[in-house]
Amino acid sequence: MTGDFRFGVNMTVPASRDEWVEKCRKAEGLGFDVIGAADHLWMAPPFPALVLAAEATERVRLNTYVLNAAFYNPVVLAREVTGTDLFIDGRLELGLGAGYIKEEFESTGMPWPSAGKRIDHLERTVKELKRLYADPDHRPAPVQKPGPPLLIAGRGDRLLTLAAEHADIIAFPGAARVPDGAQVKAEHADGILERVEFVRGKLNGREVELNVLTPQVVVTNDRAGAIEQASKQIAGLTVEQIGEIPTFLCGTHEQMAEQIRANRERYGFTYLTVLEGSMDAFAPVIELLK
């Protein structure tokens, strides 16, 4: 498996205007290709954050990684998406998910729907966005045609089937969840591969980009020791399994670069996203892989 890599950093910490500008400029200077804004109630509002990021940068793409679709009326969301894309000169990538944190729904006073109902809403949202993008009377009109690239994130059969039909980018979180939204354990390597193979079987010849979220990046000369330490924090996996998962990078920068190349061969992951706390630690790996 070959393919050029793309690297994203997801901004999760609210900050003042000056601080937000500074860290976005830093991310672009370090070589990241995409700056993302997460969508949780305790974080910065995604669309204003991306507009501000665009003002501070020149090259990077900007994405929502990822919106909780349940929080948005699809028609109103279409306005936010196309308007934001207009303001940032067509650099937007729209990331959507079904929502998974029960407490966030409760905080808004919204009911906590079943997984099936959340995916129902996600599907309605995706189809309504496409309909509105194609409507010649819709304003603001999409800058990118037929609309901003769509990323859908998740792991369940129905969600991945939806992603295989509609998404340009499919993102794998690498963690399984139970119905109340709690994260129960990291996904082992074979489980992630099974999910990738499942979605490939649904693509019907479509070409998509595969993304993986990598929330942990540990730079060390003692890779074995770092994996042993991680085994105390990552539930449900053996030391050997932790060393294989694509959602945990550790070792020297050279070892991490080799791990990412191996993940491209095994899973097809050419687009990797880290969290902002790993931005500095991961930057030398970008240089090695580009």
Side-chain angles (χ1 to χ4, degrees):
M1 176 80 59
T2 60
D4 293 336
F5 287 113
R6 286 206 303 160
F7 300 103
V9 55
N10 209 31
M11 300 301 188
T12 58
V13 181
S16 69
R17 177 188 173 89
D18 288 346
E19 291 167 334
W20 192 267
V21 165
E22 180 181 355
K23 66 183 179 180
C24 289
R25 286 177 176 161
K26 180 179 182 180
E28 184 172 61
L30 289 173
F32 285 92
D33 304 291
V34 184
I35 292 174
D39 184 27
H40 294 291
L41 296 180
W42 56 90
M43 297 181 183
F47 290 113
L50 296 182
V51 171
L52 181 55
E55 289 297 303
T57 59
E58 298 178 356
R59 172 187 57 82
V60 289
R61 301 283 289 173
L62 301 153
N63 76 349
T64 56
Y65 195 95
V66 294
L67 293 186
N68 179 349
F71 287 172
Y72 297 87
N73 174 287
V75 176
V76 177
L77 179 59
R79 180 195 65 181
E80 299 300 305
V81 171
T82 56
T84 299
D85 199 35
L86 178 64
F87 287 159
I88 68 177
D89 295 328
R91 292 159 64 187
L92 181 66
E93 295 176 0
L94 177 66
L96 293 176
Y100 63 91
I101 300 178
K102 183 180 180 181
E103 289 78 9
E104 287 195 274
F105 285 79
E106 292 173 342
S107 294
T108 67
M110 296 174 63
W112 169 242
S114 66
K117 289 183 178 180
R118 281 177 276 137
I119 296 173
D120 285 344
H121 183 77
L122 176 60
E123 183 173 8
R124 285 193 299 271
T125 299
V126 168
K127 292 180 177 178
E128 185 69 357
L129 288 174
K130 287 192 167 187
R131 184 189 71 80
L132 291 168
Y133 295 161
D135 182 351
D137 295 325
H138 185 265
R139 295 292 183 272
V143 175
Q144 303 177 80
K145 306 297 183 184
L150 175 63
L151 177 151
I152 294 179
R155 67 176 301 281
D157 285 3
R158 189 172 164 214
L159 188 144
L160 290 178
T161 299
L162 177 68
E165 181 179 356
H166 294 284
D168 304 289
I169 307 157
I170 301 175
F172 293 83
R177 299 182 186 276
V178 294
D180 69 357
Q183 182 171 319
V184 292
K185 64 177 181 179
E187 185 83 84
H188 58 78
D190 289 342
I192 295 173
L193 182 60
E194 186 277 329
R195 295 287 78 199
V196 170
E197 291 176 342
F198 175 87
V199 83
R200 282 178 177 153
K202 300 288 184 180
L203 286 171
N204 294 320
R206 291 183 65 238
E207 292 289 334
V208 299
E209 187 176 27
L210 300 184
N211 168 274
V212 62
L213 176 63
T214 306
Q216 296 191 62
V217 177
V218 179
V219 181
T220 176
N221 291 320
D222 181 13
R223 186 171 191 271
I227 293 171
E228 177 70 32
Q229 184 64 31
S231 70
K232 302 173 184 177
Q233 303 170 2
I234 301 176
L237 298 183
T238 67
V239 170
E240 291 76 15
Q241 288 172 329
I242 291 171
E244 295 179 349
I245 56 175
T247 51
F248 175 62
L249 290 174
C250 73
T252 64
H253 294 124
E254 290 76 12
Q255 285 174 320
M256 285 191 275
E258 186 57 35
Q259 185 179 350
I260 291 168
R261 292 189 190 99
N263 291 339
R264 179 175 61 183
E265 292 295 324
R266 184 174 189 185
Y267 308 97
F269 293 143
T270 58
Y271 179 8
L272 184 147
T273 299
V274 301
L275 302 182
E276 67 172 284
S278 299
M279 183 162 56
D280 289 304
F282 186 73
V285 182
I286 297 176
E287 294 184 20
L288 292 171
L289 291 169
K290 289 192 172 183

